[in-house]
Amino acid sequence: GHMELQPKMEHHTALMDGSRVSYTARGPVNASHAYVGINGLMGGGDSFWPVIAGVPQDWRVVLPDLPGCGESEPLRPPRKHTIDGYVNWLADFASGANLDDKKLVLATVATGAPIAIRFAREHRDRVAGLVLHLPFSQADMDSIAAARREPATPNPVCRPLGTPTAFDGQAGTGSVAGDPGARLDNALSKLRAE
C-alpha cells in the first residue's frame, strides 16, 4: 500500500479584533520558516493545497481564509478591505498564529499579490521570499472590472458566491453567476481582444 507521509492539516479558528478567522496549518510549530498562503479572487486558503506538496516538511505551513473569504468573517469597521487593510491584518494574523519568530515565505494566488508585495516591502526583515502564482496588479483588477462593466473596487480579493461583497465602495450585490473561473477567463479574453 501507499504510505501517507504528508503531515495532517490542522484546522484552527481564531478571534482577531472581534472577527473570526479560519485557517489550516501543518508542520512543526517550532519551525524556522513558515509558508503563508494569501488567497485570491473567489478563493480561500484551500487554493494552496495543490501547491504545498513541495514545501519542506520541516516548515510550518499556514493557510488563512482572508477576512471576508471562505470561513473568515469580514473585517470590522473602521478596518477596511483594502490592500493596506489586509497588510495590517496579515501582521496581526502572523502574531496570532505564532509566526513572529519565523522567516516568512508569502505565497499568493492572483489578486493576493499586491498584499504580499506591500507586506514584504514594509517588513523586509521578516520575509524570506515571495511566490506569486498568476499575480494580478490593481491595474489588472480595474481592467477586469471594466470588462465586466462593473465599477472598479478597492482590491476585490475574493467574493463569496452569491453574497454581498465585503469590499468597501462596491456597488451592486457582487454575486457571481455561473463558474467564476469562466467569468474571469471571459473578462481576460475580452481584454486581449481590445
Side-chain angles (χ1 to χ4, degrees), residues 88-163:
N88 294 335
W89 175 87
L90 185 57
D92 292 346
F93 173 79
S95 298
N98 300 312
L99 305 179
D100 279 344
D101 60 339
K102 304 183 194 332
K103 284 283 189 193
L104 305 179
V105 168
L106 302 179
T108 72
V109 173
T111 49
I115 299 167
I117 292 166
R118 191 166 300 177
F119 183 94
R121 223 172 45 206
E122 292 179 13
H123 302 273
R124 277 169 207 225
D125 51 322
R126 305 203 41 202
V127 178
L130 294 172
V131 182
L132 308 175
H133 301 275
L134 300 169
F136 278 52
S137 67
Q138 183 68 50
D140 292 327
M141 311 220 218
D142 292 343
S143 305
I144 290 167
R148 289 174 162 175
R149 307 285 180 267
E150 290 171 12
T153 57
N155 196 33
V157 175
C158 68
R159 296 180 178 200
L161 276 174
T163 56

Coordinates of all heavy atoms in Angstrom, one line a residue, residues 88-163:
N88 N -2.1 45.2 7.2 CA -2.1 45.3 8.6 C -2.7 44.1 9.3 O -2.2 43.6 10.3 CB -2.9 46.6 9.0 CG -2.3 47.8 8.6 OD1 -1.1 47.9 8.4 ND2 -3.1 48.9 8.4
W89 N -3.7 43.5 8.7 CA -4.3 42.3 9.2 C -3.3 41.2 9.2 O -3.2 40.4 10.1 CB -5.6 41.9 8.3 CG -6.2 40.6 8.7 CD1 -7.1 40.5 9.7 CD2 -5.8 39.3 8.2 NE1 -7.4 39.1 9.8 CE2 -6.6 38.4 8.9 CE3 -4.9 38.9 7.2 CZ2 -6.6 37.0 8.6 CZ3 -4.9 37.5 7.0 CH2 -5.7 36.6 7.7
L90 N -2.5 41.1 8.1 CA -1.6 40.0 8.0 C -0.5 40.0 9.1 O -0.1 39.0 9.6 CB -0.9 40.0 6.6 CG 0.0 38.9 6.2 CD1 -0.7 37.5 6.3 CD2 0.5 39.1 4.8
A91 N -0.1 41.2 9.4 CA 0.9 41.4 10.5 C 0.3 40.9 11.8 O 0.9 40.1 12.6 CB 1.3 42.8 10.6
D92 N -1.0 41.2 12.1 CA -1.7 40.8 13.3 C -1.9 39.3 13.2 O -1.7 38.6 14.2 CB -3.1 41.4 13.4 CG -3.0 42.9 13.7 OD1 -1.9 43.4 14.0 OD2 -4.0 43.6 13.6
F93 N -2.3 38.8 12.1 CA -2.5 37.3 11.9 C -1.2 36.5 12.2 O -1.3 35.5 12.9 CB -3.1 37.0 10.6 CG -3.2 35.5 10.3 CD1 -4.2 34.8 10.9 CD2 -2.2 34.8 9.6 CE1 -4.3 33.4 10.7 CE2 -2.3 33.5 9.4 CZ -3.3 32.7 10.0
A94 N -0.1 37.0 11.6 CA 1.2 36.3 11.8 C 1.5 36.2 13.3 O 1.9 35.1 13.7 CB 2.3 37.0 11.0
S95 N 1.2 37.2 14.1 CA 1.5 37.2 15.5 C 0.5 36.2 16.2 O 0.9 35.3 17.0 CB 1.3 38.5 16.1 OG 2.2 39.4 15.6
G96 N -0.8 36.3 15.8 CA -1.8 35.4 16.4 C -1.5 33.9 16.1 O -1.9 33.1 16.9
A97 N -0.9 33.6 14.9 CA -0.6 32.3 14.5 C 0.8 31.8 15.0 O 1.3 30.8 14.5 CB -0.8 32.1 13.0
N98 N 1.4 32.6 15.9 CA 2.7 32.3 16.4 C 3.8 32.2 15.4 O 4.7 31.3 15.4 CB 2.7 31.0 17.2 CG 1.7 31.1 18.4 OD1 1.7 32.1 19.1 ND2 0.8 30.1 18.5
L99 N 3.8 33.2 14.4 CA 4.8 33.2 13.4 C 5.9 34.3 13.6 O 6.7 34.5 12.7 CB 4.2 33.3 12.0 CG 3.1 32.3 11.7 CD1 2.5 32.6 10.3 CD2 3.6 30.9 11.8
D100 N 5.8 35.0 14.7 CA 6.7 36.2 14.9 C 8.2 35.8 14.9 O 9.0 36.6 14.5 CB 6.3 36.9 16.2 CG 5.1 37.8 16.0 OD1 4.8 38.1 14.8 OD2 4.6 38.3 17.0
D101 N 8.5 34.6 15.3 CA 9.9 34.2 15.3 C 10.4 33.5 14.1 O 11.5 32.9 14.0 CB 10.1 33.2 16.5 CG 9.3 32.0 16.4 OD1 8.3 32.0 15.7 OD2 9.6 31.0 17.1
K102 N 9.5 33.5 13.0 CA 9.9 32.7 11.8 C 10.1 33.7 10.6 O 9.6 34.7 10.5 CB 8.7 31.8 11.5 CG 8.4 30.8 12.6 CD 7.3 29.9 12.2 CE 6.7 29.1 13.4 NZ 7.6 29.0 14.5
K103 N 11.0 33.2 9.7 CA 11.1 33.8 8.4 C 9.9 33.4 7.6 O 9.6 32.2 7.5 CB 12.4 33.4 7.7 CG 13.6 34.1 8.3 CD 13.8 35.5 7.8 CE 15.1 36.1 8.2 NZ 15.1 37.6 8.1
L104 N 9.3 34.3 6.9 CA 8.0 34.0 6.2 C 8.3 34.0 4.7 O 9.0 34.8 4.1 CB 7.0 35.1 6.4 CG 6.6 35.4 7.9 CD1 5.5 36.5 7.9 CD2 6.1 34.1 8.6
V105 N 7.7 33.0 4.0 CA 7.6 32.9 2.6 C 6.1 33.1 2.3 O 5.3 32.3 2.7 CB 8.1 31.6 2.0 CG1 7.8 31.5 0.5 CG2 9.7 31.6 2.1
L106 N 5.8 34.2 1.6 CA 4.4 34.5 1.3 C 4.1 34.1 -0.1 O 4.7 34.4 -1.1 CB 4.2 36.1 1.4 CG 4.5 36.7 2.7 CD1 4.2 38.2 2.6 CD2 3.7 36.1 3.9
A107 N 3.1 33.2 -0.2 CA 2.6 32.7 -1.5 C 1.3 33.3 -1.8 O 0.4 33.4 -0.9 CB 2.6 31.2 -1.5
T108 N 1.0 33.7 -3.0 CA -0.3 34.3 -3.4 C -0.8 33.6 -4.6 O -0.1 33.1 -5.5 CB -0.2 35.8 -3.6 OG1 0.5 36.0 -4.9 CG2 0.6 36.5 -2.5
V109 N -2.2 33.7 -4.7 CA -2.8 33.4 -6.0 C -3.5 34.7 -6.5 O -4.3 35.3 -5.7 CB -3.9 32.3 -5.7 CG1 -4.7 32.1 -7.0 CG2 -3.2 31.0 -5.3
A110 N -3.2 35.0 -7.7 CA -4.0 36.1 -8.4 C -4.0 37.4 -7.6 O -2.9 38.0 -7.4 CB -5.4 35.6 -8.8
T111 N -5.2 37.8 -7.1 CA -5.3 39.1 -6.5 C -4.7 39.2 -5.1 O -4.7 40.3 -4.6 CB -6.8 39.5 -6.4 OG1 -7.5 38.3 -5.8 CG2 -7.4 39.7 -7.8
G112 N -4.1 38.2 -4.6 CA -3.4 38.3 -3.3 C -2.1 38.9 -3.5 O -1.4 39.4 -2.5
A113 N -1.5 39.0 -4.7 CA -0.2 39.5 -5.0 C 0.1 40.9 -4.4 O 1.2 41.1 -3.7 CB 0.2 39.5 -6.5
P114 N -0.7 41.9 -4.6 CA -0.4 43.2 -4.1 C -0.2 43.3 -2.6 O 0.6 44.0 -2.1 CB -1.6 44.1 -4.5 CG -2.2 43.4 -5.7 CD -2.0 41.9 -5.4
I115 N -1.0 42.4 -1.9 CA -0.9 42.4 -0.4 C 0.5 41.8 0.0 O 1.1 42.4 0.8 CB -2.0 41.4 0.1 CG1 -3.4 42.0 -0.2 CG2 -1.9 41.3 1.6 CD1 -4.5 41.0 0.0
A116 N 0.9 40.7 -0.6 CA 2.2 40.1 -0.3 C 3.3 41.0 -0.6 O 4.3 41.2 0.2 CB 2.3 38.8 -1.0
I117 N 3.3 41.7 -1.7 CA 4.4 42.6 -2.2 C 4.5 43.8 -1.2 O 5.6 44.1 -0.8 CB 4.1 43.1 -3.6 CG1 4.3 41.9 -4.6 CG2 5.1 44.2 -4.0 CD1 3.8 42.1 -6.0
R118 N 3.4 44.4 -0.8 CA 3.4 45.5 0.1 C 3.9 45.1 1.5 O 4.6 45.8 2.1 CB 2.1 46.2 0.1 CG 2.2 47.5 0.9 CD 1.0 48.4 0.7 NE 0.7 48.8 -0.7 CZ -0.3 49.5 -1.1 NH1 -1.2 49.9 -0.3 NH2 -0.5 49.8 -2.4
F119 N 3.4 43.9 1.9 CA 3.8 43.4 3.2 C 5.3 43.2 3.2 O 6.0 43.6 4.2 CB 3.1 42.1 3.6 CG 3.4 41.6 4.9 CD1 2.6 41.9 6.0 CD2 4.5 40.7 5.1 CE1 2.9 41.4 7.3 CE2 4.8 40.3 6.4 CZ 4.0 40.6 7.5
A120 N 5.8 42.6 2.2 CA 7.3 42.3 2.1 C 8.1 43.6 2.1 O 9.1 43.7 2.7 CB 7.6 41.5 0.8
R121 N 7.5 44.7 1.4 CA 8.2 45.9 1.4 C 8.3 46.6 2.8 O 9.3 47.2 3.2 CB 7.5 46.9 0.4 CG 8.5 47.6 -0.4 CD 7.8 48.4 -1.5 NE 6.7 49.2 -1.1 CZ 5.7 49.5 -1.9 NH1 5.7 49.1 -3.2 NH2 4.6 50.2 -1.4
E122 N 7.2 46.4 3.5 CA 7.1 47.0 4.9 C 7.7 46.2 6.0 O 8.0 46.7 7.0 CB 5.6 47.3 5.2 CG 5.0 48.4 4.3 CD 3.6 48.7 4.6 OE1 3.0 48.2 5.6 OE2 2.9 49.3 3.7
H123 N 8.0 44.9 5.7 CA 8.5 44.0 6.7 C 9.7 43.2 6.1 O 9.7 42.0 6.2 CB 7.4 43.1 7.3 CG 6.2 43.7 7.8 ND1 6.2 44.1 9.2 CD2 5.1 44.1 7.3 CE1 5.0 44.7 9.4 NE2 4.3 44.7 8.2
R124 N 10.6 43.9 5.6 CA 11.8 43.3 4.9 C 12.5 42.2 5.7 O 12.9 41.2 5.2 CB 12.8 44.3 4.4 CG 12.4 44.9 3.1 CD 13.2 46.2 2.8 NE 12.3 47.0 2.0 CZ 12.7 47.6 0.9 NH1 14.0 47.6 0.5 NH2 11.9 48.4 0.2
D125 N 12.6 42.6 7.0 CA 13.4 41.7 7.9 C 12.7 40.4 8.2 O 13.3 39.4 8.6 CB 13.6 42.4 9.3 CG 12.3 43.0 9.8 OD1 11.4 43.4 9.0 OD2 12.1 42.9 11.1
R126 N 11.4 40.3 7.9 CA 10.6 39.1 8.2 C 10.3 38.2 7.0 O 10.0 37.0 7.2 CB 9.2 39.5 8.8 CG 9.4 40.4 10.0 CD 8.2 40.4 10.9 NE 7.7 39.1 11.1 CZ 6.5 38.8 11.4 NH1 5.6 39.8 11.6 NH2 6.1 37.6 11.6
V127 N 10.4 38.8 5.8 CA 10.0 38.0 4.6 C 11.3 37.4 3.9 O 12.1 38.2 3.5 CB 9.2 38.9 3.7 CG1 8.8 38.1 2.4 CG2 7.9 39.4 4.4
A128 N 11.3 36.1 3.8 CA 12.4 35.4 3.2 C 12.2 35.3 1.7 O 13.1 35.1 0.9 CB 12.7 34.1 3.8
G129 N 10.9 35.3 1.3 CA 10.7 35.1 -0.2 C 9.2 35.3 -0.5 O 8.3 35.3 0.4
L130 N 8.9 35.5 -1.8 CA 7.6 35.6 -2.3 C 7.4 34.6 -3.4 O 8.3 34.4 -4.3 CB 7.3 37.0 -2.9 CG 7.4 38.2 -2.0 CD1 7.3 39.5 -2.8 CD2 6.2 38.2 -1.1
V131 N 6.2 33.9 -3.4 CA 5.8 33.0 -4.5 C 4.5 33.6 -5.1 O 3.5 33.5 -4.4 CB 5.6 31.6 -4.0 CG1 5.3 30.7 -5.2 CG2 6.9 31.1 -3.3
L132 N 4.6 34.1 -6.3 CA 3.4 34.8 -6.8 C 2.8 33.9 -8.0 O 3.4 33.9 -9.1 CB 3.7 36.2 -7.3 CG 4.4 37.1 -6.3 CD1 4.8 38.4 -6.9 CD2 3.6 37.3 -5.0
H133 N 1.7 33.2 -7.7 CA 1.0 32.4 -8.8 C 0.1 33.4 -9.5 O -0.8 34.0 -8.9 CB 0.2 31.3 -8.2 CG 1.1 30.3 -7.4 ND1 1.8 29.3 -8.0 CD2 1.3 30.2 -6.1 CE1 2.4 28.6 -7.0 NE2 2.1 29.1 -5.8
L134 N 0.2 33.5 -10.8 CA -0.7 34.3 -11.6 C -0.9 35.7 -11.0 O -2.0 36.0 -10.7 CB -2.1 33.6 -11.8 CG -2.0 32.3 -12.5 CD1 -3.4 31.6 -12.3 CD2 -1.7 32.4 -13.9
P135 N 0.1 36.4 -10.7 CA -0.1 37.7 -10.0 C -0.9 38.7 -10.7 O -0.7 38.9 -11.9 CB 1.4 38.2 -9.8 CG 2.2 37.6 -10.8 CD 1.5 36.2 -11.1
F136 N -1.8 39.4 -10.0 CA -2.6 40.4 -10.5 C -2.2 41.7 -9.9 O -1.9 41.7 -8.7 CB -4.1 40.3 -10.1 CG -4.9 39.3 -11.0 CD1 -4.4 38.0 -11.3 CD2 -6.1 39.7 -11.5 CE1 -5.1 37.1 -12.0 CE2 -6.8 38.8 -12.3 CZ -6.3 37.5 -12.5
S137 N -2.2 42.8 -10.6 CA -1.9 44.1 -10.1 C -3.3 44.8 -9.9 O -4.3 44.4 -10.4 CB -1.1 45.0 -11.0 OG -1.8 45.2 -12.2
Q138 N -3.3 46.0 -9.2 CA -4.5 46.8 -9.1 C -5.0 47.2 -10.5 O -6.2 47.2 -10.7 CB -4.2 48.0 -8.3 CG -5.5 48.9 -8.0 CD -6.5 48.2 -7.1 OE1 -6.1 47.7 -6.0 NE2 -7.7 48.2 -7.5
A139 N -4.1 47.4 -11.4 CA -4.5 47.8 -12.8 C -5.2 46.7 -13.5 O -6.2 46.9 -14.1 CB -3.3 48.2 -13.6
D140 N -4.7 45.4 -13.2 CA -5.4 44.3 -13.8 C -6.9 44.2 -13.3 O -7.8 43.9 -14.0 CB -4.7 42.9 -13.4 CG -3.4 42.8 -14.0 OD1 -3.2 43.2 -15.1 OD2 -2.5 42.2 -13.4
M141 N -7.0 44.5 -11.9 CA -8.3 44.4 -11.3 C -9.3 45.4 -11.9 O -10.4 45.2 -12.2 CB -8.2 44.6 -9.8 CG -7.1 43.7 -9.3 SD -7.6 43.1 -7.7 CE -6.1 43.2 -6.9
D142 N -8.7 46.6 -12.1 CA -9.5 47.7 -12.7 C -10.0 47.3 -14.1 O -11.1 47.5 -14.5 CB -8.8 49.0 -12.7 CG -8.5 49.6 -11.3 OD1 -9.2 49.1 -10.4 OD2 -7.6 50.4 -11.2
S143 N -9.0 46.7 -14.9 CA -9.4 46.3 -16.3 C -10.4 45.2 -16.3 O -11.4 45.2 -17.1 CB -8.1 45.7 -16.9 OG -7.1 46.6 -16.9
I144 N -10.3 44.2 -15.3 CA -11.4 43.2 -15.3 C -12.7 43.8 -14.9 O -13.7 43.5 -15.5 CB -10.9 42.1 -14.3 CG1 -9.8 41.3 -14.8 CG2 -12.1 41.2 -13.9 CD1 -9.1 40.4 -13.8
A145 N -12.7 44.7 -13.9 CA -13.9 45.4 -13.6 C -14.6 46.1 -14.8 O -15.8 46.0 -15.0 CB -13.7 46.3 -12.4
A146 N -13.7 46.7 -15.6 CA -14.2 47.5 -16.7 C -14.8 46.5 -17.8 O -15.8 46.7 -18.3 CB -13.1 48.3 -17.4
A147 N -14.1 45.3 -17.9 CA -14.6 44.3 -18.9 C -15.9 43.8 -18.4 O -16.7 43.4 -19.2 CB -13.5 43.2 -19.0
R148 N -16.1 43.7 -17.1 CA -17.3 43.2 -16.6 C -18.4 44.3 -16.5 O -19.5 44.1 -16.0 CB -17.1 42.7 -15.1 CG -16.3 41.4 -15.0 CD -16.0 41.2 -13.6 NE -15.7 39.8 -13.4 CZ -15.3 39.3 -12.2 NH1 -15.2 40.0 -11.2 NH2 -15.0 38.0 -12.1
R149 N -18.0 45.5 -16.9 CA -18.9 46.7 -16.8 C -19.4 46.9 -15.4 O -20.5 47.2 -15.1 CB -20.2 46.5 -17.7 CG -19.9 46.2 -19.2 CD -19.4 47.4 -19.9 NE -19.1 47.1 -21.3 CZ -17.9 46.7 -21.8 NH1 -16.9 46.6 -21.0 NH2 -17.7 46.5 -23.1
E150 N -18.5 46.7 -14.5 CA -18.8 46.9 -13.1 C -17.8 48.0 -12.6 O -16.7 48.1 -13.1 CB -18.5 45.6 -12.3 CG -19.5 44.5 -12.6 CD -19.1 43.2 -11.9 OE1 -18.2 43.2 -11.1 OE2 -19.7 42.2 -12.3
P151 N -18.2 48.7 -11.5 CA -17.2 49.7 -11.0 C -16.0 49.0 -10.4 O -16.1 47.9 -9.9 CB -18.0 50.3 -9.9 CG -19.1 49.4 -9.5 CD -19.4 48.6 -10.8
A152 N -14.9 49.6 -10.6 CA -13.6 49.0 -10.0 C -13.8 49.1 -8.5 O -14.4 50.0 -8.0 CB -12.4 49.8 -10.5
T153 N -13.3 48.0 -7.8 CA -13.4 48.0 -6.4 C -12.0 48.2 -5.8 O -11.0 47.8 -6.5 CB -13.9 46.6 -6.0 OG1 -13.0 45.6 -6.5 CG2 -15.3 46.4 -6.5
P154 N -11.9 48.7 -4.6 CA -10.6 48.7 -4.0 C -10.2 47.3 -3.6 O -10.7 46.7 -2.7 CB -10.8 49.6 -2.7 CG -12.3 49.7 -2.5 CD -13.0 49.2 -3.8
N155 N -9.3 46.7 -4.4 CA -8.8 45.4 -4.2 C -9.8 44.3 -3.9 O -9.9 43.8 -2.8 CB -7.8 45.4 -3.0 CG -6.9 44.2 -3.0 OD1 -6.7 43.6 -4.1 ND2 -6.6 43.7 -1.8
P156 N -10.6 43.8 -4.9 CA -11.5 42.8 -4.6 C -10.8 41.4 -4.5 O -10.7 40.7 -5.5 CB -12.4 42.8 -5.9 CG -11.5 43.3 -7.0 CD -10.6 44.3 -6.3
V157 N -10.3 41.1 -3.3 CA -9.5 39.9 -3.1 C -10.4 38.7 -3.4 O -9.9 37.7 -4.0 CB -8.9 39.9 -1.7 CG1 -8.1 38.6 -1.5 CG2 -7.9 41.1 -1.6
C158 N -11.5 38.7 -2.8 CA -12.4 37.5 -3.0 C -13.8 37.9 -3.0 O -14.2 39.0 -2.4 CB -12.2 36.5 -1.9 SG -12.7 37.1 -0.3
R159 N -14.7 37.1 -3.5 CA -16.1 37.4 -3.5 C -16.8 36.1 -3.1 O -16.9 35.2 -3.9 CB -16.6 37.9 -4.8 CG -16.0 39.2 -5.3 CD -16.6 39.5 -6.6 NE -16.1 40.8 -7.1 CZ -16.7 41.5 -8.0 NH1 -17.8 41.1 -8.5 NH2 -16.1 42.6 -8.3
P160 N -17.3 36.0 -1.9 CA -18.1 34.8 -1.6 C -19.3 34.7 -2.5 O -19.9 35.7 -2.8 CB -18.6 35.0 -0.1 CG -17.7 36.2 0.4 CD -17.3 37.0 -0.8
L161 N -19.5 33.5 -3.1 CA -20.5 33.3 -4.1 C -21.9 33.7 -3.6 O -22.3 33.3 -2.5 CB -20.6 31.8 -4.5 CG -19.5 31.4 -5.6 CD1 -19.6 29.9 -5.8 CD2 -19.9 32.1 -6.9
G162 N -22.6 34.5 -4.3 CA -24.0 34.7 -4.0 C -24.2 35.6 -2.8 O -25.3 35.7 -2.3
T163 N -23.2 36.2 -2.2 CA -23.4 37.0 -1.1 C -22.9 38.4 -1.4 O -22.0 38.6 -2.3 CB -22.5 36.5 0.1 OG1 -21.2 36.4 -0.3 CG2 -23.0 35.2 0.6

